[in-house]
Amino acid sequence: MADQPTAFERFVQGILPENPVYRQLLGLCPTLAVSNGMKPALTMACSVAFVLLCANVVTSLIRNLLKPHLRIVVFTLTIATFVTIADRFLAAYLFQMSKTLGPYIPLIIVNCLIICRCEVCASKQSVFTAASDALGQALGFGLALSSIATVREIFGTGMFFGIRLLPSAWPDWVIMVLPPGAFITLGLLLGLVNWIGIVKSRRSVND
Amino acid sequence: MIYFLDIMLIALTASLINNFVLYYFVGICPFVGVSRKVEMAFGMGCAVTFVISIAALISWTITTMVLIPGAPLSSFIAGFFLPEEAAGKIDLTVLSYIVYIFAIASSVQFVEMYVRKFFPLLYRSFGVFLPLITTNCAILFACLTIMSHIVGVDNPADAWDIGRSMTLAFFGGVGFTIAIVIMSGIREELEICDIPEPFQGAAITLIIGGILALAFMGFTGVDSGIRDTIMPAPTEQNLTMAPLQAEILAQSDF
Amino acid sequence: MESSIKNTNLFQAWLVLLLATVFGTTLAGVQTKLGPVIEANKINETMEKIPTLTLGEAQAEKMTEQGNALVIEPRLIEISKNGIKKFYTVYDAYYKDGTRAGFVAKASGQGYADKIELLLGLDADASTITGLFILDQKETPGLGNKVIEKHWRDQFLNQSSDKGLVVVKGKSEGSHEIGAVSGATISSKSVTGIVNRTIADIKHQLILPPVSENDKIKENK
């Protein structure tokens, strides 16, 4: 396993260089659906972080017992269990939020991000590495989600975390909190991230 | 008549008004990934429609027969161990997510084997997409929507039957096909366009998706319009209390 | 080292089965622990609105301060209209001494975008609307969803229930008039329509004396 990245590398990679949303284009469904405000976005990010961490740790613990053709079954079983737990907890302690998020919490099960991390990292590396990978990826996911939510909430409602930020003369761009706003915001931000990447690589070539 | 109207409105809502891709954002991965060529997009759409219908059939059956409190199968089995009163209250909805995802995964497997064996032509057109579909959010989303209309309702008469559930799933798949085929048509044209480098690929697809979503927003309200035309809401005249009711009111005051 | 064991089918199945058992037990534990909390959440969502909806905000607060609470009893009213059966969940609110404080009915109907679910409060003889609360809606943010705002809902307060309410553009003037949310006439009409239909459907059922209602429920069973 000499060529596998270390725990710290995994953690750092997840945040920006291999950001799940902007770089790998994984988990776009929840990214678009719950990013119309900071509160749902952060709740979603925390739920994904919980599921990702638990799934990665469990997968890593049993990685030596796994048979290749059964691994997807085991991953799915693990993920579905932890998603159910997260969903029950939200319904019990954050009832309004769980109503707002609706079906998007159970849809974490089919979020490619988690099964991809189980496959790429957790089924090959130690528990500690898998956990730090999960934290890094979850942080990256949360960062992406909150960047989109920031843009959409501020332009769409003039508020941030439910607190008025722009003057009340601001004509709320309602379209930003509606579905089209999600697509367009993510498209523009993705273009921006790509552009920064291109500029950086050009500069390093010139140097 | 009412039932037919209901079915029609569910179909209209699922396919156009609340389009799975452009309103609920499910199935974005294939929408961005497999929308380069119209034929591929259409094949993917057909595969999703096919699997979503089968998954809805299975999940409706499991939900009503096993998962909900008082479901025939679970209470029958529990009847051997528990008193009748408790057996009728067995609530297995906590297992629903696990059950659905495995129902989807296994139905995808079966569909793939079946289609490959008996319809080789069909398999050639969309068989390659079948394994990808397991992790397509649209399928699980349809199952969850059906479940929310069975479990979450206040009174049993409102719970969705198999007809409504299948309509939602099938037309959800049709809506997915419509969205992805339109998208692929636009992307074929984009090949010859001069797109700024950072926006090539996923970014421009998402922005076009946004414009499509904007266009599909125009369908909002069509369903309530149709409902009002066919079944007019009570007007002021027929709301005024009937004399008999007024009498009862007077009596109870007394 | 243990490759010979690992290659048998039984071992592979064991791992999956073991995991399934462990996860199943965990879920059962979670459900036993959290199930009642979730159920309570669902009921409380409606229940905690009832005093305000029947008595009005000021009096409901006063009652809570005094440590009094309403006795709330849910029941299901069945309506048969043109051969179609409809159900309404109605909560009867009583004072401690048994006199009736009012009713709250849960109703739903089609809005502009999706189903609108609301709670409608009526006074003790079901002649006046005492409150309106929107439980669930998916109307257009910024336009249609303004129907959830208090100052719009307050237009329904103290409207008499003997005549249907009418939606007018701009400010409402006379009684039985509800001013539409600007830019969202359909949403406003939907809510008003649900209120009108609910009153028309259940009003005469509500004010029957409570004793006969109980008998009726028994007969139905």
Side-chain angles (χ1 to χ4, degrees):
Chain A
M1 281 188 195
D3 55 338
Q4 293 284 359
T6 60
F8 181 70
E9 279 168 7
R10 282 285 193 198
F11 179 75
V12 175
Q13 267 181 1
I15 300 175
L16 278 178
E18 271 185 37
N19 188 291
V21 175
Y22 290 126
R23 287 282 175 214
Q24 307 177 57
L25 297 177
L26 292 175
L28 291 184
C29 308
T31 311
L32 292 167
V34 302
S35 59
N36 53 1
M38 274 308 266
K39 283 179 193 163
L42 284 185
T43 320
M44 187 67 183
C46 290
S47 316
V48 169
F50 167 76
V51 176
L52 186 54
L53 185 64
C54 294
N56 256 12
V57 167
V58 170
T59 313
S60 181
L61 280 175
I62 57 170
R63 68 185 186 279
N64 291 328
L65 305 171
L66 277 177
K67 269 289 172 185
H69 61 280
L70 280 177
R71 72 183 193 289
I72 299 291
V73 178
V74 173
F75 293 165
T76 318
L77 184 67
T78 318
I79 295 167
T81 309
F82 287 114
V83 168
T84 312
I85 294 174
D87 179 69
R88 296 281 101 180
F89 262 93
L90 279 180
Y93 298 113
L94 285 168
F95 186 63
Q96 279 308 322
M97 190 46 80
S98 93
K99 261 180 84 178
T100 316
L101 291 175
Y104 295 104
I105 290 290
L107 282 178
I108 297 176
I109 300 173
V110 283
N111 192 328
C112 323
L113 166 65
I114 296 169
I115 211 157
C116 172
R117 290 334 290 177
C118 286
E119 174 85 36
V120 171
C121 172
S123 60
K124 290 178 190 137
Q125 293 188 287
S126 70
V127 177
F128 180 67
T129 318
S132 63
D133 175 70
L135 286 179
Q137 292 286 336
L139 212 62
F141 183 73
L143 213 66
L145 214 58
S146 44
S147 64
I148 300 162
T150 312
V151 174
R152 288 183 68 191
E153 196 181 358
I154 290 180
F155 284 125
T157 61
M159 294 194 275
F160 189 58
F161 273 109
I163 301 159
R164 191 97 215 159
L165 200 70
L166 297 175
S168 52
W170 173 258
D172 295 344
W173 295 356
V174 175
I175 201 71
M176 293 303 276
V177 289
L178 292 176
F183 281 107
I184 292 171
T185 312
L186 180 58
L188 291 176
L189 285 178
L190 197 60
L192 185 73
V193 172
N194 287 345
W195 181 67
I196 294 172
I198 290 168
V199 168
K200 254 190 189 167
S201 66
R202 272 198 197 132
R203 202 170 284 164
S204 62
V205 168
N206 288 345
D207 286 348
Chain B
M1 179 61 201
I2 296 291
Y3 184 73
F4 178 72
L5 178 71
D6 224 32
I7 293 281
M8 201 180 82
L9 288 180
I10 289 173
L12 189 70
T13 310
S15 55
L16 294 176
I17 303 167
N18 294 349
N19 188 285
F20 272 27
V21 180
L22 300 171
Y23 185 83
Y24 288 121
F25 313 104
V26 290
I28 296 286
C29 302
F31 184 69
V32 175
V34 201
S35 60
R36 276 179 206 283
K37 287 268 174 293
V38 173
E39 295 90 55
M40 268 170 79
F42 187 69
M44 185 71 185
C46 290
V48 166
T49 313
F50 195 58
V51 172
I52 211 171
S53 311
I54 290 168
L57 182 68
I58 296 175
S59 65
W60 184 86
T61 317
I62 294 176
T63 313
T64 42
M65 295 297 156
V66 186
L67 294 180
I68 55 169
L73 196 62
S74 61
S75 42
F76 175 73
I77 294 173
F80 292 117
F81 313 103
L82 296 165
E84 201 176 316
E85 188 82 336
K89 281 182 187 154
I90 293 278
D91 185 359
L92 293 176
T93 42
V94 68
L95 294 177
S96 51
Y97 304 156
I98 299 180
V99 171
Y100 291 160
I101 191 69
F102 278 98
I104 293 167
S106 46
S107 65
V108 168
Q109 287 288 324
F110 275 114
V111 167
E112 197 194 352
M113 284 193 275
Y114 184 78
V115 172
R116 196 190 315 192
K117 180 97 172 69
F118 294 103
F119 305 99
L121 261 179
L122 204 63
Y123 184 78
R124 229 171 293 156
S125 65
F126 69 70
V128 282
F129 303 112
L130 281 172
L132 296 175
I133 288 176
T134 313
T135 50
N136 186 333
C137 322
I139 319 275
L140 184 63
F141 179 78
C143 296
L144 291 167
T145 315
I146 292 167
M147 177 190 136
S148 75
H149 280 100
I150 297 173
V151 179
V153 292
D154 280 345
N155 45 63
D158 285 346
W160 273 15
D161 58 354
I162 184 87
R164 290 191 178 89
S165 311
M166 292 296 288
T167 312
L168 173 100
F170 179 76
F171 281 93
V174 170
F176 176 82
T177 313
I178 293 173
I180 196 169
V181 167
I182 294 177
M183 191 67 220
S184 60
I186 297 172
R187 281 187 78 174
E188 278 189 358
E189 295 295 312
L190 276 183
E191 300 267 301
I192 49 169
C193 288
D194 183 21
I195 305 160
E197 202 188 331
F199 283 94
Q200 280 169 11
I204 192 73
T205 312
L206 285 165
I207 293 174
I208 295 169
I211 297 166
L212 276 182
L214 207 58
F216 270 68
M217 268 179 70
F219 286 112
T220 326
V222 171
D223 54 340
S224 34
I226 293 178
R227 193 187 291 269
D228 284 350
T229 324
I230 297 179
M231 264 190 348
T235 52
E236 202 191 333
Q237 286 82 34
N238 57 27
L239 250 181
T240 323
M241 263 202 302
L244 177 73
Q245 291 162 20
E247 265 170 43
I248 299 172
L249 180 65
Q251 280 169 9
S252 73
D253 268 353
F254 171 76
Chain C
M1 49 182 179
E2 49 200 62
S3 60
S4 59
I5 314 169
K6 269 208 238 170
N7 283 335
T8 60
N9 285 333
L10 201 61
F11 182 82
Q12 294 165 13
W14 267 14
L15 179 65
V16 176
L17 286 177
L18 182 76
L19 276 177
T21 322
V22 171
F23 288 150
T25 323
T26 323
L27 281 185
V30 169
Q31 178 63 12
T32 339
K33 199 108 203 313
L34 298 180
V37 186
I38 297 168
E39 282 307 309
N41 278 341
K42 281 183 190 157
I43 295 166
N44 276 346
E45 191 194 20
T46 311
M47 285 297 183
E48 66 189 15
K49 298 283 175 335
I50 287 176
T52 323
L53 286 175
T54 48
L55 303 174
E57 213 164 326
Q59 215 184 328
E61 262 174 39
K62 215 167 96 188
M63 266 192 77
T64 330
E65 271 172 30
Q66 290 166 351
N68 285 334
L70 291 173
V71 183
I72 297 160
E73 283 171 14
R75 63 177 151 131
L76 210 60
I77 288 189
E78 191 187 323
I79 306 285
S80 179
K81 206 166 67 173
N82 309 332
I84 308 151
K85 272 189 186 163
K86 264 176 97 176
F87 292 90
Y88 284 93
T89 312
V90 172
Y91 301 87
D92 296 277
Y94 297 98
Y95 293 112
K96 276 239 169 82
D97 58 359
T99 50
R100 204 197 288 277
F103 309 92
V104 171
K106 201 182 204 175
S108 64
Q110 183 68 31
Y112 180 62
D114 208 334
K115 226 168 84 172
I116 297 179
E117 200 173 37
L118 51 80
L119 291 174
L120 176 70
L122 292 166
D123 67 352
D125 52 7
S127 65
T128 314
I129 298 174
T130 52
L132 179 70
F133 185 81
I134 315 279
L135 277 176
D136 202 13
Q137 52 82 29
K138 291 190 179 67
E139 302 300 282
T140 323
L143 295 169
N145 79 344
K146 285 192 179 154
V147 296
I148 62 171
E149 285 176 7
K150 192 173 175 301
H151 69 89
W152 189 80
R153 285 185 284 121
D154 279 352
Q155 293 184 81
F156 287 86
L157 289 189
N158 301 325
Q159 298 277 15
S160 137
S161 70
D162 56 357
K163 227 170 98 191
L165 300 168
V166 187
V167 176
V168 293
K169 294 213 168 162
K171 278 247 179 302
S172 68
E173 279 161 8
S175 63
H176 298 107
E177 280 188 1
I178 301 293
V181 176
S182 63
T185 320
I186 298 182
S187 298
S188 318
K189 276 189 176 158
S190 304
V191 173
T192 315
I194 298 168
V195 170
N196 283 343
R197 210 170 312 136
T198 310
I199 291 174
D201 282 350
I202 61 171
K203 185 173 172 177
H204 58 283
Q205 295 246 7
L206 286 179
I207 51 185
L208 293 173
V211 186
S212 64
E213 276 156 17
N214 290 339
D215 291 347
K216 226 176 168 185
I217 290 165
K218 274 175 205 157
E219 273 168 30
N220 282 345
K221 277 179 183 170

